[in-house]
Amino acid sequence: MKKILATMMTLALTIAAQGQVETVDTAQFVAVYDYECRTQNDEGQDVTDRMQVVVQVGRKVTKSMPRSAYQSTETKSMDDIAADYQEAYMHIPTVWTGYPEGQTTVREYILPQLFEGHEPTPAIEWMLSEDTLTVGSYLCRQAMATYRGVRWQVCYTEEIPSSAGPWRLRGLPGLIVEAKSEAHTFRLAKLQPTPTPITAPEQRPDVQRTDYAKMLRHKNRLFGNKQYPKNPLYNVNFQTDISHMEVIKRNDQQYLFANGYPLVTKAYVYMPLEKE
């Protein structure tokens, strides 16, 4: 098992070394959110998936990403790899807000390809409430908005003067502490005053770059297909789409990686964060 793990780590480091990484800002702080997605399995039973989302908040650029994208490959344990594998079921992309200036860049592995979409950063039309409540240790106000077909109710705190939030939620006069929709919940777990570098997307030859609206339509069409919960690999041609496979075993669990990414062999009903 150690030999397999070492091989996989070497592969990941080799892929990273091939890309050129540019620092575009420095995080003033890092916000870690617990994310839940309420959905169903292929038999119609209720399921709640969980993961963490890390948000680096800089002066010009905010970068929101799955925990695995923030954590160094060199320090990952087998438990971390299992958590990374879980993330693959939940379809959370890495989002750069403000990079390039005035733009939003979104990168996500949509099997069997790595996609990158670009668009002008959209404004979210929030309806603000004067009501206050306490979330964790923060005094918060509430706001509501319908963003691309999904209705959100959020709590934000002016105690943290930042317009940032998890994923693509943003634009309030304080950091978003909690955000809820019918299927999704983001909740602030901790803040870290960590001045870490915010890096741009790696310049990789295997990235499919496109207009973000086109990327979103492709993602929703693929994962929203009725076949997906029963057979998440329905669209994959293993002879032409997959160039490298890895298998990692831990106790009774087996983790498959294709082209360096977790290979999802089961899935749940897709609950999009954006419908349009």
Side-chain angles (χ1 to χ4, degrees):
M1 181 179 70
K2 291 182 179 179
K3 184 176 180 180
I4 295 174
L5 178 59
T7 301
M8 195 203 75
M9 293 300 185
T10 300
L11 173 65
L13 291 172
T14 300
I15 291 173
Q18 290 174 349
Q20 297 180 358
V21 181
E22 174 191 4
T23 297
V24 294
D25 202 352
T26 299
Q28 298 175 279
F29 63 88
V30 175
V32 180
Y33 291 84
D34 292 328
Y35 168 58
E36 294 184 353
C37 179
R38 295 170 290 280
T39 181
Q40 294 180 328
N41 62 19
D42 61 348
E43 297 179 351
Q45 298 170 323
D46 291 340
V47 176
T48 299
D49 273 332
R50 295 175 175 86
M51 63 176 281
Q52 286 194 318
V53 174
V54 178
V55 182
Q56 292 177 290
V57 181
R59 296 185 182 277
K60 299 179 294 181
V61 179
T62 296
K63 183 177 179 180
S64 175
M65 71 205 92
R67 189 191 70 166
S68 64
Y70 181 71
Q71 187 179 15
S72 170
T73 301
E74 295 177 311
T75 62
K76 286 186 179 181
S77 68
M78 288 299 296
D79 289 336
D80 294 326
I81 291 173
D84 297 352
Y85 204 82
Q86 170 68 21
E87 290 179 359
Y89 297 107
M90 300 185 69
H91 312 297
I92 292 292
T94 297
V95 179
W96 291 261
T97 302
Y99 178 81
E101 184 176 357
Q103 300 280 313
T104 292
T105 299
V106 181
R107 182 174 282 194
E108 184 173 4
Y109 185 68
I110 304 173
L111 191 70
Q113 293 177 309
L114 180 61
F115 284 88
E116 182 178 299
H118 301 266
E119 68 172 355
T121 300
I124 302 177
E125 297 181 1
W126 295 105
M127 295 179 58
L128 305 183
S129 170
E130 294 298 321
D131 295 337
T132 61
L133 71 164
T134 300
V135 179
S137 60
Y138 298 104
L139 179 65
C140 297
R141 295 185 183 275
Q142 293 182 303
M144 292 181 292
T146 298
Y147 177 62
R148 290 183 168 166
V150 177
R151 185 165 181 79
W152 291 93
Q153 181 171 331
V154 308
C155 299
Y156 65 95
T157 179
E158 296 179 359
E159 295 176 13
I160 305 174
S162 171
S163 62
W167 175 60
R168 304 195 64 174
L169 300 176
R170 56 175 297 280
L172 287 162
L175 182 74
I176 293 175
V177 174
E178 184 178 79
K180 293 183 177 180
S181 71
E182 183 178 1
H184 310 278
T185 298
F186 295 94
R187 185 174 292 110
L188 183 66
K190 59 183 176 180
L191 286 179
Q192 300 171 334
T194 309
T196 54
I198 300 177
T199 57
E202 293 179 3
Q203 297 301 310
R204 295 176 47 160
D206 58 333
V207 176
Q208 302 293 316
R209 293 180 175 83
T210 184
D211 176 78
Y212 180 68
K214 185 181 297 184
M215 174 180 161
L216 179 62
R217 287 194 298 271
H218 171 71
K219 176 180 177 178
N220 286 351
R221 183 171 59 249
L222 177 65
F223 296 139
N225 190 292
K226 292 181 179 180
Q227 297 183 65
Y228 180 72
K230 296 182 180 295
N231 177 21
L233 303 177
Y234 76 93
N235 67 306
V236 178
N237 185 325
F238 280 82
Q239 292 184 336
T240 59
D241 295 335
I242 306 300
S243 60
H244 184 81
M245 293 279 292
E246 290 284 349
V247 180
I248 296 178
K249 294 181 180 180
R250 179 180 173 86
N251 299 327
D252 295 329
Q253 297 294 319
Q254 178 172 282
Y255 305 102
L256 304 178
F257 289 79
N259 298 344
Y261 294 91
L263 184 65
V264 175
T265 56
K266 70 172 184 177
Y268 301 128
V269 174
Y270 174 56
M271 306 300 290
L273 284 160
E274 300 168 278
K275 295 181 179 179
E276 56 191 37

